[in-house]
Amino acid sequence: MELSKGELMVMEALWEEECLDENGEIQALELSKFLKEKYGLGKTSCYTFFGRLLEKGAITRRYPKYTLKPIISREEALKNQQEEAIDLLFQGSLINVCQAFLRERKVSNEELQEMRDLIDSFDVEEK
């Protein structure tokens, strides 16, 4: 599930939970006011993002007062975004990811050793 910048702003507000009630919900009108105050988003833009998030299954809506609730966590969204980026930009290869980042920056001996230790800490895939 790829989220746009605006959709992520909405989700960040929901994940922070400061605007949610005791049931982890908020009315759409109240959320749009919160987002206008926090990010300067207009009401129409907010409702567009709400609709997209509903279609993507990131939030639920309950009537009669158009009450919204997040149903994916920040961690789930991050994992999905990472997987999509790796598939799209690096042909699904973690080797390509590492090569792209390591080509662009200098790595200290300590960092290199940490990477080796990290790799060694993973179980070897058996064939």
Side-chain angles (χ1 to χ4, degrees):
M1 167 188 323
E2 188 173 337
L3 300 176
S4 71
K5 184 177 178 181
E7 292 163 353
L8 277 172
M9 284 191 274
V10 173
M11 293 306 297
E12 281 297 330
L14 294 171
W15 290 327
E16 289 171 7
E17 298 181 351
E18 67 185 73
C19 63
L20 302 179
D21 65 15
E22 63 277 354
N23 297 318
E25 300 175 323
I26 186 170
Q27 289 181 17
L29 182 59
E30 292 303 312
L31 182 55
S32 69
K33 289 177 184 176
F34 180 84
L35 293 166
K36 179 166 181 65
E37 187 177 303
K38 187 165 184 165
Y39 299 114
L41 291 176
K43 183 178 176 181
T44 304
S45 294
C46 290
Y47 277 81
T48 298
F49 296 138
F50 301 162
R52 290 180 189 164
L53 290 166
L54 284 163
E55 286 176 16
K56 292 178 179 185
I59 62 175
T60 60
R61 173 180 56 206
R62 177 172 67 75
Y63 291 104
K65 296 185 178 181
Y66 203 132
T67 303
L68 303 174
K69 183 176 188 172
I71 55 174
I72 65 164
S73 68
R74 179 183 274 119
E75 293 75 22
E76 289 172 299
L78 177 60
K79 183 179 179 217
N80 289 337
Q81 298 260 132
Q82 286 173 336
E83 288 173 3
E84 288 177 14
I86 290 169
D87 287 343
L88 178 67
L89 301 172
F90 303 101
Q91 295 80 44
S93 168
L94 290 176
I95 298 298
N96 291 346
V97 173
C98 292
Q99 286 176 342
F101 284 97
L102 293 174
R103 268 192 223 120
E104 298 300 319
R105 86 181 264 177
K106 294 184 187 239
V107 180
S108 71
N109 287 332
E110 293 81 19
E111 289 174 314
L112 206 51
Q113 187 57 51
E114 283 184 51
M115 287 184 233
R116 286 184 181 114
D117 293 342
L118 178 64
I119 291 168
D120 289 343
S121 73
F122 289 97
D123 289 335
V124 176
E125 186 179 304
E126 293 185 30
K127 294 182 181 183

